Amino acid sequence: MGETKQLSVSAIKNGTVIDHIPADTLFSVINILGLENISNQITFGTNLESKKFGKKGIIKVAGIYFSEKEINKIALVAPAARLNIIRDYEVVEKHQLTIPDEVAGIVKCFNPACITNHEPVTTRFRIISKDPLRLKCHYCEKITDEEHLTII
Ligand code: CTP
Ligand code: ZN
């Protein structure tokens, strides 16, 4: 018999597992999804060993099925993440994420003079390129690129 597989974070019966999150963006993902406002059981782990990443994070939310649109909000910070839908302990669906065409309130505008950096205005961008990532601000029209990407 081969090596036994042990889960670092317990299996869930029903709900959502978001796997393959880079270890260093796990807490951004938690914020973007607003998990602090959810009263369901949430378990997560980070700095777990991963063959693909070296280290990865994982989040399990019992009893909640996120829409793909909601989950795609995290694509900017966790592009390789997988959304797994669990029903009765089985993975019944597995989705890759897609970077959306627009993002609101996740990324900071790179332009220091932008209104979003001075007034309580939610940032808004159109994604004009996905690889490399380039975001155009709805307010000042300046481009924020991957190198200058700061998560709010
Ligand atoms: N999982 C869980 N509870 C279950 C079933 C699965 O928490 N009842 C978790 C697994 O621990 C894993 C993820 O859901 O982190 C996806 O499960 P599975 O597809 O079985 O694992 P892998 O094949 O390792 O996934 P991948 O192909 O995405 O690497
Ligand atoms: Zn701007």
Side-chain angles (χ1 to χ4, degrees):
M1 201 182 136
E3 63 183 51
T4 34
K5 196 175 168 187
Q6 204 183 343
L7 294 183
S8 328
V9 182
S10 298
I12 59 172
K13 183 166 189 230
N14 291 297
T16 302
V17 174
I18 308 165
D19 201 354
H20 303 297
I21 301 168
D24 59 356
T25 63
L26 179 87
F27 290 98
S28 299
V29 169
I30 289 173
N31 284 331
I32 292 168
L33 295 176
L35 297 185
E36 69 272 30
N37 301 317
I38 291 180
S39 55
N40 293 50
Q41 176 190 292
I42 302 172
T43 48
F44 65 85
T46 190
N47 297 328
L48 306 176
E49 261 175 61
S50 153
K51 290 195 184 85
K52 258 185 242 170
F53 288 112
K55 285 184 172 180
K56 70 164 186 178
I58 188 167
I59 300 171
K60 304 188 179 188
V61 186
I64 291 190
Y65 301 100
F66 295 90
S67 66
E68 277 190 68
K69 195 176 170 204
E70 273 175 284
I71 290 289
N72 284 339
K73 289 188 194 169
I74 71 167
L76 291 183
V77 297
R82 292 272 188 289
L83 168 65
N84 298 279
I85 310 292
I86 315 291
R87 290 187 200 275
D88 208 10
Y89 288 106
E90 298 289 328
V91 179
V92 293
E93 282 177 45
K94 195 185 278 279
H95 301 279
Q96 269 183 278
L97 305 194
T98 318
I99 293 175
D101 296 326
E102 290 190 358
V103 288
I106 294 172
V107 175
K108 189 171 145 54
C109 182
F110 171 61
N111 173 15
C114 182
I115 185 168
T116 60
N117 288 313
H118 298 277
E119 307 279 340
V121 176
T122 304
T123 63
R124 263 179 74 188
F125 300 89
R126 205 157 53 76
I127 314 277
I128 54 169
S129 161
K130 294 188 179 183
D131 190 16
L133 196 57
R134 287 165 59 81
L135 297 85
K136 186 173 185 180
C137 179
H138 170 78
Y139 297 97
C140 71
E141 304 200 317
K142 293 276 188 291
I143 308 289
T144 297
D145 63 16
E146 205 159 338
E147 197 189 331
H148 300 102
L149 196 74
T150 307
I151 304 303
I152 292 172

